[in-house]
Amino acid sequence: MIEKMAMGLVDQMAEEKMIDKEAEEYYVYTLVSLMEKFITIGTILLISVLIEKLVPTAFFLLFFLSLRKRTGGYHMNTFFQCYLGTVVTYMLVLGLCMVLVDYPQLVFGLLLVAICIVEVIGTVNHPNIHMDAVELSESKRAARILCAVEVCVIYTFTLLGADMMYVCHMAVILCAVLLLIAKILKQEVKRNEEN
C-alpha cells in the first residue's frame, strides 16, 4: 500500500516534469523509506503521549536512531515485520525501564557491556547496504565516536539526577543487542564477499 502511494506520487511528479523519468525508482525508494519511518516513529510518539512518556521517548528515539543509523544491526525482511518489531521492542524497553529503575547498578553494568560491544564491533555491514571497506571503516569510526558522546551525555544527565536517562541507557543497550543478533544470525557482508 505504501509503495503504491509512493509510485502514484512519483508518477505524477514525472508527468508534471518535476523529476527525471529515469530517476523514478530512486524517488519511489526514498519516498517509501520516509513514509515507513514517519509511520513507525509517529506510532511510537503516539503511544508515548498516550502513556505520558513523551520526553523519555523523545530522548530514547534521539539516542537510538542516531546510533542505530551508524551501527546497523539486525534487520527484518518486510516493513510490517520491522514496524511490529520496532513498536513491540519500544514497549519492552519501556517495561524494562520501569523494572530496572530500582536496579541502577544493573543498568550501569548492562550499559558498560553495551559500550564494549559497540566499541568492538562498531558497525555491521548489512547485505542491503553493502558498504565498501572505506565506508565501513568510516561508519565504525562514527558509531564509536557517537557512542562515546551519548555515554558522556548519559553520565552528565545521571549526575544531574535525571530519571528519564534509564531510557537513554536502553538506547545504547538496544543498539548493542541488535549488533549481536546480526552477528549471531550472520546478517552481514563478510570481507571475502565484498568484491
Side-chain angles (χ1 to χ4, degrees), residues 59-60 62-65 67-68 71 93 107 110-119 143 146-152 154 165-179:
F59 275 102
F60 172 77
L62 176 68
F63 278 57
F64 177 71
L65 295 175
L67 191 56
R68 170 91 164 141
T71 61
V93 165
V107 174
L110 290 172
L111 181 61
L112 183 60
V113 171
I115 293 165
C116 292
I117 291 168
V118 172
E119 293 299 323
L146 185 59
C147 182
V149 168
E150 287 188 6
V151 168
C152 288
I154 289 168
M165 286 302 98
Y166 285 101
V167 177
C168 293
H169 290 66
M170 291 297 150
V172 176
I173 294 167
L174 182 57
C175 280
V177 168
L178 292 172
L179 276 173

Side-chain angles (χ1 to χ4, degrees), residues 22-132:
E22 289 80 40
E24 275 189 53
E25 189 176 316
Y26 169 77
Y27 282 99
V28 168
Y29 173 80
T30 303
L31 194 53
V32 166
S33 295
L34 287 172
M35 291 168 79
E36 288 174 350
K37 285 178 187 172
F38 178 79
I39 291 168
T40 304
I41 293 171
T43 300
I44 289 172
L45 289 174
L46 179 63
I47 291 169
S48 74
V49 168
L50 294 174
I51 61 175
E52 299 177 2
K53 298 284 184 198
L54 181 61
V55 174
T57 298
F59 275 102
F60 172 77
L61 288 173
L62 176 68
F63 278 57
F64 177 71
L65 295 175
S66 299
L67 191 56
R68 170 91 164 141
K69 181 178 179 181
R70 286 148 186 92
T71 61
Y74 178 71
H75 287 274
M76 295 193 177
N77 295 326
T78 65
F79 167 67
F80 181 73
Q81 290 173 338
C82 182
Y83 172 78
L84 193 58
T86 302
V87 172
V88 168
T89 300
Y90 164 72
M91 297 299 291
L92 287 172
V93 165
L94 281 180
L96 277 171
C97 288
M98 289 180 203
V99 172
L100 292 175
V101 75
D102 295 327
Y103 304 98
Q105 294 84 2
L106 178 60
V107 174
F108 285 113
L110 290 172
L111 181 61
L112 183 60
V113 171
I115 293 165
C116 292
I117 291 168
V118 172
E119 293 299 323
V120 169
I121 298 173
T123 301
V124 171
N125 191 1
H126 192 272
N128 291 349
I129 299 170
H130 204 81
M131 293 178 264
D132 63 31

